Amino acid sequence: MPIPLINSIATWFLKQRIHQIELFLKYPHEVQDELMMNLIRSSEETVIGQKYDFSSIKSYETFSERIPVYTYEDFEPMIALTRKGAQNVFWNTPIKWFAKSSGTTNAKSKFIPVSKEALEDCHYKGSKDLLCLYLNNNENSDMFLGKSLRLGGSSQIYENNNTYFGDLSAILIENMPIWAEFSSTPSSKVSLMSEWETKLTAIINETKNENVTSFAGVPSWMLVLLNRIMTETGIDNLMELWPNLEVYFHGGVSFEPYSAQYKKILPKSDFKYYEIYNASEGFFAIQDLNYSNDLLLMLDYGIFYEFIPMETFGTDNQKVIRLSEVELFKNYAIVITTNAGLWRYLIGDTVRFTSLNPYRIKVSGRTKHYINVFGEELMVENTDMALAKTCTALHCEIKDYTVAPIFMKGKEKGAHEWMIEFKKHPEDIALFQKTLDENLQTVNSDYEAKRYHNMTLNQLKVNIARENLFYDWLKENDKLGGQHKIPRLSNERDYLEQLKMMQILQNK
């Protein structure tokens, strides 16, 4: 297809979609309320719809009183029925696909339902909107003159009673429209390879001679690929290989710990970074402005949003509120009702709002991935920020990290213990520990209070991980590549002890 025609089609679509986005920006609560009622009406005849008498629900108040908040474990029996071939259990159209996800909190696999509505009106719509918003902000973009280098997860697609499951990225590639194949590299065949090391080599061989203008993937794994490309091609930075590169679309983990490394290998002053927030359960938010860390909450993707203030989360006083009730800069657990039949489902992520008009968010962590053993309420957002500030100040770079508590023992106070794998080591580890501890105190007042005069917490402790420790841990747990993430924070010591044991065994 000629490039002018591609740009004309993109411009037409952009104008159509921007008008629709402006509608939910202007009427966010009305759009969400109408969406909620449409989801309820469409599922009146399902098993769950009859259980809670959806046909008599006429308001949010009845909806929230009648339907409980579900965790995956609560919802799993209904998912298991559908995976055995039953339909019309929690959604009114056939559910044939399930995104297999273990996340970072649990070794047990989760099977998240993916309906045709979720594919078309959420996941693919989000991908198109990402391009839409980017092009709206960058009218002179030449992105369509080249291809997007995409890095997905495992390719394995399995069949079970005429239903299918696999990594979300594999499901999206398997079902994506034909036009997407022509605008992406590597090919679907290479993207769907399962063995990580073989896949990396194949991606490099297939992409190094392409005109790559954009990237899309998880920052940690994309960095592994890009560093390997630079090593194998002998270049000093990626602009030598792909001079027309202009944007990196990223999500999955915080970009902050990796920001300095990307700027080093992409030394182009006007290079753009666009963040997205998506998961197996849905596509939720998109960066809608250049050079911004805030994400626009997308309100017309078939997802109805509710929120639990983290100060009440998991307590007898837990309170669930709707979008119109949220406040700026408070941490909330997200509850979603979706067009794949997840009803008031707790996805496990936490966000805070940075704007209420329009609704913009930042992902702050996980409901199970924080440390609050000593009342410090430490979130992943805090540790990412403190670590980035420390690395900038001390001219070092990290590859991965995890943190766990050191529990109080006798009269000994508690502390936080870190395992950090450095790409570029600090010259003075004692100074690094001290600086990191001080930066944590500046970004988290609760941690600062517990550290005051070592009242509750002693200074944090840093273990230096050997090279590839985290990679080897992921490999041992069959979690290499794509969507898998290192568990950053935990109230327990399980992950840290596993890593320390691997380190000891390797050194023997």
Side-chain angles (χ1 to χ4, degrees), residues 367-393:
T367 56
K368 293 184 180 180
H369 273 220
Y370 64 96
I371 301 180
N372 195 32
V373 173
F374 312 102
E376 66 273 52
E377 297 187 23
L378 197 70
M379 308 292 288
V380 174
E381 183 183 38
N382 303 147
T383 53
D384 281 344
M385 191 178 300
L387 196 54
K389 289 173 69 174
T390 304
C391 287
T392 299

PDB file of all heavy atoms in Angstrom, residues 367-393:
ATOM      1  N   THR A 367      -1.671  -4.610  44.904  1.00  0.00           N
ATOM      2  CA  THR A 367      -2.275  -4.771  46.226  1.00  0.00           C
ATOM      3  C   THR A 367      -1.510  -5.784  47.069  1.00  0.00           C
ATOM      4  O   THR A 367      -1.556  -5.748  48.290  1.00  0.00           O
ATOM      5  CB  THR A 367      -3.743  -5.229  46.106  1.00  0.00           C
ATOM      6  OG1 THR A 367      -3.799  -6.433  45.325  1.00  0.00           O
ATOM      7  CG2 THR A 367      -4.587  -4.154  45.439  1.00  0.00           C
ATOM      8  N   LYS A 368      -0.809  -6.713  46.412  1.00  0.00           N
ATOM      9  CA  LYS A 368      -0.013  -7.693  47.143  1.00  0.00           C
ATOM     10  C   LYS A 368       1.475  -7.387  47.065  1.00  0.00           C
ATOM     11  O   LYS A 368       2.275  -8.107  47.645  1.00  0.00           O
ATOM     12  CB  LYS A 368      -0.279  -9.101  46.595  1.00  0.00           C
ATOM     13  CG  LYS A 368      -1.703  -9.598  46.852  1.00  0.00           C
ATOM     14  CD  LYS A 368      -1.863 -11.026  46.366  1.00  0.00           C
ATOM     15  CE  LYS A 368      -3.288 -11.534  46.621  1.00  0.00           C
ATOM     16  NZ  LYS A 368      -3.457 -12.932  46.149  1.00  0.00           N
ATOM     17  N   HIS A 369       1.841  -6.363  46.331  1.00  0.00           N
ATOM     18  CA  HIS A 369       3.252  -6.031  46.164  1.00  0.00           C
ATOM     19  C   HIS A 369       3.547  -4.671  46.774  1.00  0.00           C
ATOM     20  O   HIS A 369       3.699  -3.675  46.077  1.00  0.00           O
ATOM     21  CB  HIS A 369       3.648  -6.076  44.693  1.00  0.00           C
ATOM     22  CG  HIS A 369       4.054  -7.448  44.262  1.00  0.00           C
ATOM     23  ND1 HIS A 369       5.094  -7.691  43.413  1.00  0.00           N
ATOM     24  CD2 HIS A 369       3.554  -8.662  44.587  1.00  0.00           C
ATOM     25  CE1 HIS A 369       5.222  -8.999  43.233  1.00  0.00           C
ATOM     26  NE2 HIS A 369       4.283  -9.599  43.925  1.00  0.00           N
ATOM     27  N   TYR A 370       3.619  -4.669  48.058  1.00  0.00           N
ATOM     28  CA  TYR A 370       4.024  -3.492  48.822  1.00  0.00           C
ATOM     29  C   TYR A 370       4.595  -4.022  50.120  1.00  0.00           C
ATOM     30  O   TYR A 370       4.474  -5.210  50.439  1.00  0.00           O
ATOM     31  CB  TYR A 370       2.845  -2.550  49.064  1.00  0.00           C
ATOM     32  CG  TYR A 370       1.737  -3.135  49.908  1.00  0.00           C
ATOM     33  CD1 TYR A 370       1.670  -2.897  51.283  1.00  0.00           C
ATOM     34  CD2 TYR A 370       0.748  -3.940  49.336  1.00  0.00           C
ATOM     35  CE1 TYR A 370       0.657  -3.448  52.059  1.00  0.00           C
ATOM     36  CE2 TYR A 370      -0.264  -4.493  50.105  1.00  0.00           C
ATOM     37  CZ  TYR A 370      -0.301  -4.248  51.457  1.00  0.00           C
ATOM     38  OH  TYR A 370      -1.297  -4.793  52.227  1.00  0.00           O
ATOM     39  N   ILE A 371       5.254  -3.171  50.873  1.00  0.00           N
ATOM     40  CA  ILE A 371       5.757  -3.583  52.187  1.00  0.00           C
ATOM     41  C   ILE A 371       5.115  -2.690  53.237  1.00  0.00           C
ATOM     42  O   ILE A 371       5.256  -1.460  53.201  1.00  0.00           O
ATOM     43  CB  ILE A 371       7.297  -3.494  52.276  1.00  0.00           C
ATOM     44  CG1 ILE A 371       7.945  -4.384  51.213  1.00  0.00           C
ATOM     45  CG2 ILE A 371       7.776  -3.916  53.661  1.00  0.00           C
ATOM     46  CD1 ILE A 371       9.465  -4.360  51.217  1.00  0.00           C
ATOM     47  N   ASN A 372       4.408  -3.313  54.143  1.00  0.00           N
ATOM     48  CA  ASN A 372       3.769  -2.567  55.221  1.00  0.00           C
ATOM     49  C   ASN A 372       3.887  -3.336  56.533  1.00  0.00           C
ATOM     50  O   ASN A 372       2.983  -3.339  57.357  1.00  0.00           O
ATOM     51  CB  ASN A 372       2.299  -2.296  54.878  1.00  0.00           C
ATOM     52  CG  ASN A 372       1.702  -1.233  55.774  1.00  0.00           C
ATOM     53  OD1 ASN A 372       2.400  -0.315  56.211  1.00  0.00           O
ATOM     54  ND2 ASN A 372       0.416  -1.342  56.060  1.00  0.00           N
ATOM     55  N   VAL A 373       5.019  -4.012  56.703  1.00  0.00           N
ATOM     56  CA  VAL A 373       5.249  -4.810  57.906  1.00  0.00           C
ATOM     57  C   VAL A 373       5.365  -3.912  59.131  1.00  0.00           C
ATOM     58  O   VAL A 373       4.963  -4.258  60.233  1.00  0.00           O
ATOM     59  CB  VAL A 373       6.518  -5.673  57.738  1.00  0.00           C
ATOM     60  CG1 VAL A 373       6.880  -6.388  59.042  1.00  0.00           C
ATOM     61  CG2 VAL A 373       6.311  -6.692  56.625  1.00  0.00           C
ATOM     62  N   PHE A 374       5.917  -2.712  58.916  1.00  0.00           N
ATOM     63  CA  PHE A 374       6.191  -1.808  60.038  1.00  0.00           C
ATOM     64  C   PHE A 374       5.374  -0.520  59.959  1.00  0.00           C
ATOM     65  O   PHE A 374       5.692   0.463  60.621  1.00  0.00           O
ATOM     66  CB  PHE A 374       7.687  -1.467  60.060  1.00  0.00           C
ATOM     67  CG  PHE A 374       8.583  -2.670  59.934  1.00  0.00           C
ATOM     68  CD1 PHE A 374       9.199  -2.971  58.728  1.00  0.00           C
ATOM     69  CD2 PHE A 374       8.785  -3.527  61.004  1.00  0.00           C
ATOM     70  CE1 PHE A 374      10.012  -4.093  58.597  1.00  0.00           C
ATOM     71  CE2 PHE A 374       9.597  -4.648  60.881  1.00  0.00           C
ATOM     72  CZ  PHE A 374      10.214  -4.931  59.675  1.00  0.00           C
ATOM     73  N   GLY A 375       4.321  -0.510  59.109  1.00  0.00           N
ATOM     74  CA  GLY A 375       3.498   0.687  58.955  1.00  0.00           C
ATOM     75  C   GLY A 375       4.086   1.695  57.985  1.00  0.00           C
ATOM     76  O   GLY A 375       3.642   2.842  57.937  1.00  0.00           O
ATOM     77  N   GLU A 376       5.060   1.272  57.165  1.00  0.00           N
ATOM     78  CA  GLU A 376       5.723   2.199  56.250  1.00  0.00           C
ATOM     79  C   GLU A 376       5.001   2.385  54.925  1.00  0.00           C
ATOM     80  O   GLU A 376       5.292   3.316  54.169  1.00  0.00           O
ATOM     81  CB  GLU A 376       7.169   1.747  55.994  1.00  0.00           C
ATOM     82  CG  GLU A 376       7.307   0.428  55.253  1.00  0.00           C
ATOM     83  CD  GLU A 376       7.295  -0.796  56.134  1.00  0.00           C
ATOM     84  OE1 GLU A 376       6.356  -0.934  56.962  1.00  0.00           O
ATOM     85  OE2 GLU A 376       8.179  -1.638  56.005  1.00  0.00           O
ATOM     86  N   GLU A 377       4.071   1.481  54.584  1.00  0.00           N
ATOM     87  CA  GLU A 377       3.249   1.595  53.376  1.00  0.00           C
ATOM     88  C   GLU A 377       4.090   1.908  52.137  1.00  0.00           C
ATOM     89  O   GLU A 377       3.814   2.824  51.368  1.00  0.00           O
ATOM     90  CB  GLU A 377       2.153   2.644  53.555  1.00  0.00           C
ATOM     91  CG  GLU A 377       1.165   2.279  54.659  1.00  0.00           C
ATOM     92  CD  GLU A 377      -0.013   3.228  54.742  1.00  0.00           C
ATOM     93  OE1 GLU A 377      -0.305   3.887  53.731  1.00  0.00           O
ATOM     94  OE2 GLU A 377      -0.625   3.308  55.815  1.00  0.00           O
ATOM     95  N   LEU A 378       5.127   1.118  51.923  1.00  0.00           N
ATOM     96  CA  LEU A 378       6.030   1.333  50.801  1.00  0.00           C
ATOM     97  C   LEU A 378       5.457   0.703  49.538  1.00  0.00           C
ATOM     98  O   LEU A 378       5.166  -0.486  49.503  1.00  0.00           O
ATOM     99  CB  LEU A 378       7.403   0.724  51.123  1.00  0.00           C
ATOM    100  CG  LEU A 378       8.574   1.181  50.257  1.00  0.00           C
ATOM    101  CD1 LEU A 378       8.928   2.636  50.573  1.00  0.00           C
ATOM    102  CD2 LEU A 378       9.789   0.297  50.489  1.00  0.00           C
ATOM    103  N   MET A 379       5.298   1.519  48.480  1.00  0.00           N
ATOM    104  CA  MET A 379       4.753   1.072  47.211  1.00  0.00           C
ATOM    105  C   MET A 379       5.868   0.975  46.173  1.00  0.00           C
ATOM    106  O   MET A 379       6.926   1.592  46.313  1.00  0.00           O
ATOM    107  CB  MET A 379       3.680   2.051  46.710  1.00  0.00           C
ATOM    108  CG  MET A 379       2.581   2.372  47.708  1.00  0.00           C
ATOM    109  SD  MET A 379       1.494   0.981  48.053  1.00  0.00           S
ATOM    110  CE  MET A 379       0.559   0.884  46.524  1.00  0.00           C
ATOM    111  N   VAL A 380       5.608   0.212  45.112  1.00  0.00           N
ATOM    112  CA  VAL A 380       6.596   0.052  44.043  1.00  0.00           C
ATOM    113  C   VAL A 380       6.957   1.406  43.436  1.00  0.00           C
ATOM    114  O   VAL A 380       8.111   1.661  43.099  1.00  0.00           O
ATOM    115  CB  VAL A 380       6.063  -0.902  42.947  1.00  0.00           C
ATOM    116  CG1 VAL A 380       7.021  -0.956  41.760  1.00  0.00           C
ATOM    117  CG2 VAL A 380       5.858  -2.302  43.515  1.00  0.00           C
ATOM    118  N   GLU A 381       5.977   2.287  43.330  1.00  0.00           N
ATOM    119  CA  GLU A 381       6.241   3.623  42.792  1.00  0.00           C
ATOM    120  C   GLU A 381       7.320   4.322  43.618  1.00  0.00           C
ATOM    121  O   GLU A 381       8.193   5.012  43.071  1.00  0.00           O
ATOM    122  CB  GLU A 381       4.948   4.441  42.804  1.00  0.00           C
ATOM    123  CG  GLU A 381       5.097   5.828  42.204  1.00  0.00           C
ATOM    124  CD  GLU A 381       3.815   6.635  42.307  1.00  0.00           C
ATOM    125  OE1 GLU A 381       3.119   6.530  43.335  1.00  0.00           O
ATOM    126  OE2 GLU A 381       3.521   7.380  41.363  1.00  0.00           O
ATOM    127  N   ASN A 382       7.299   4.149  44.946  1.00  0.00           N
ATOM    128  CA  ASN A 382       8.301   4.766  45.818  1.00  0.00           C
ATOM    129  C   ASN A 382       9.688   4.216  45.557  1.00  0.00           C
ATOM    130  O   ASN A 382      10.658   4.966  45.424  1.00  0.00           O
ATOM    131  CB  ASN A 382       7.953   4.538  47.288  1.00  0.00           C
ATOM    132  CG  ASN A 382       6.593   5.044  47.703  1.00  0.00           C
ATOM    133  OD1 ASN A 382       5.948   4.460  48.568  1.00  0.00           O
ATOM    134  ND2 ASN A 382       6.131   6.126  47.104  1.00  0.00           N
ATOM    135  N   THR A 383       9.793   2.882  45.495  1.00  0.00           N
ATOM    136  CA  THR A 383      11.113   2.267  45.323  1.00  0.00           C
ATOM    137  C   THR A 383      11.676   2.550  43.939  1.00  0.00           C
ATOM    138  O   THR A 383      12.884   2.790  43.788  1.00  0.00           O
ATOM    139  CB  THR A 383      11.056   0.747  45.580  1.00  0.00           C
ATOM    140  OG1 THR A 383      10.033   0.157  44.775  1.00  0.00           O
ATOM    141  CG2 THR A 383      10.762   0.457  47.043  1.00  0.00           C
ATOM    142  N   ASP A 384      10.822   2.538  42.913  1.00  0.00           N
ATOM    143  CA  ASP A 384      11.292   2.870  41.558  1.00  0.00           C
ATOM    144  C   ASP A 384      11.856   4.287  41.510  1.00  0.00           C
ATOM    145  O   ASP A 384      12.914   4.539  40.934  1.00  0.00           O
ATOM    146  CB  ASP A 384      10.141   2.754  40.553  1.00  0.00           C
ATOM    147  CG  ASP A 384       9.844   1.322  40.141  1.00  0.00           C
ATOM    148  OD1 ASP A 384      10.687   0.440  40.384  1.00  0.00           O
ATOM    149  OD2 ASP A 384       8.763   1.090  39.580  1.00  0.00           O
ATOM    150  N   MET A 385      11.132   5.218  42.130  1.00  0.00           N
ATOM    151  CA  MET A 385      11.534   6.613  42.099  1.00  0.00           C
ATOM    152  C   MET A 385      12.830   6.839  42.877  1.00  0.00           C
ATOM    153  O   MET A 385      13.759   7.509  42.401  1.00  0.00           O
ATOM    154  CB  MET A 385      10.416   7.493  42.674  1.00  0.00           C
ATOM    155  CG  MET A 385      10.616   8.981  42.462  1.00  0.00           C
ATOM    156  SD  MET A 385       9.217   9.945  43.121  1.00  0.00           S
ATOM    157  CE  MET A 385       7.872   9.284  42.137  1.00  0.00           C
ATOM    158  N   ALA A 386      12.906   6.260  44.078  1.00  0.00           N
ATOM    159  CA  ALA A 386      14.098   6.428  44.907  1.00  0.00           C
ATOM    160  C   ALA A 386      15.316   5.800  44.243  1.00  0.00           C
ATOM    161  O   ALA A 386      16.424   6.356  44.282  1.00  0.00           O
ATOM    162  CB  ALA A 386      13.867   5.823  46.287  1.00  0.00           C
ATOM    163  N   LEU A 387      15.115   4.661  43.616  1.00  0.00           N
ATOM    164  CA  LEU A 387      16.212   3.964  42.944  1.00  0.00           C
ATOM    165  C   LEU A 387      16.706   4.769  41.742  1.00  0.00           C
ATOM    166  O   LEU A 387      17.922   4.897  41.524  1.00  0.00           O
ATOM    167  CB  LEU A 387      15.740   2.579  42.507  1.00  0.00           C
ATOM    168  CG  LEU A 387      16.799   1.544  42.122  1.00  0.00           C
ATOM    169  CD1 LEU A 387      17.818   1.363  43.223  1.00  0.00           C
ATOM    170  CD2 LEU A 387      16.131   0.223  41.811  1.00  0.00           C
ATOM    171  N   ALA A 388      15.781   5.329  40.976  1.00  0.00           N
ATOM    172  CA  ALA A 388      16.166   6.132  39.810  1.00  0.00           C
ATOM    173  C   ALA A 388      16.958   7.364  40.246  1.00  0.00           C
ATOM    174  O   ALA A 388      17.979   7.707  39.625  1.00  0.00           O
ATOM    175  CB  ALA A 388      14.920   6.543  39.028  1.00  0.00           C
ATOM    176  N   LYS A 389      16.509   8.034  41.298  1.00  0.00           N
ATOM    177  CA  LYS A 389      17.216   9.221  41.800  1.00  0.00           C
ATOM    178  C   LYS A 389      18.615   8.861  42.281  1.00  0.00           C
ATOM    179  O   LYS A 389      19.584   9.585  42.036  1.00  0.00           O
ATOM    180  CB  LYS A 389      16.421   9.857  42.946  1.00  0.00           C
ATOM    181  CG  LYS A 389      15.135  10.539  42.501  1.00  0.00           C
ATOM    182  CD  LYS A 389      14.295  11.006  43.682  1.00  0.00           C
ATOM    183  CE  LYS A 389      14.944  12.148  44.421  1.00  0.00           C
ATOM    184  NZ  LYS A 389      14.034  12.686  45.476  1.00  0.00           N
ATOM    185  N   THR A 390      18.726   7.720  42.955  1.00  0.00           N
ATOM    186  CA  THR A 390      20.021   7.285  43.478  1.00  0.00           C
ATOM    187  C   THR A 390      20.982   6.940  42.356  1.00  0.00           C
ATOM    188  O   THR A 390      22.163   7.319  42.388  1.00  0.00           O
ATOM    189  CB  THR A 390      19.829   6.071  44.412  1.00  0.00           C
ATOM    190  OG1 THR A 390      18.898   6.410  45.444  1.00  0.00           O
ATOM    191  CG2 THR A 390      21.146   5.652  45.044  1.00  0.00           C
ATOM    192  N   CYS A 391      20.492   6.219  41.359  1.00  0.00           N
ATOM    193  CA  CYS A 391      21.345   5.840  40.227  1.00  0.00           C
ATOM    194  C   CYS A 391      21.822   7.067  39.450  1.00  0.00           C
ATOM    195  O   CYS A 391      22.975   7.126  39.008  1.00  0.00           O
ATOM    196  CB  CYS A 391      20.605   4.889  39.308  1.00  0.00           C
ATOM    197  SG  CYS A 391      20.416   3.213  39.978  1.00  0.00           S
ATOM    198  N   THR A 392      20.956   8.045  39.295  1.00  0.00           N
ATOM    199  CA  THR A 392      21.346   9.280  38.611  1.00  0.00           C
ATOM    200  C   THR A 392      22.430  10.012  39.391  1.00  0.00           C
ATOM    201  O   THR A 392      23.431  10.464  38.821  1.00  0.00           O
ATOM    202  CB  THR A 392      20.122  10.199  38.423  1.00  0.00           C
ATOM    203  OG1 THR A 392      19.150   9.531  37.613  1.00  0.00           O
ATOM    204  CG2 THR A 392      20.512  11.511  37.747  1.00  0.00           C
ATOM    205  N   ALA A 393      22.244  10.106  40.698  1.00  0.00           N
ATOM    206  CA  ALA A 393      23.201  10.833  41.539  1.00  0.00           C
ATOM    207  C   ALA A 393      24.560  10.156  41.597  1.00  0.00           C
ATOM    208  O   ALA A 393      25.599  10.824  41.635  1.00  0.00           O
ATOM    209  CB  ALA A 393      22.634  10.999  42.948  1.00  0.00           C
TER     210      ALA A 393
END
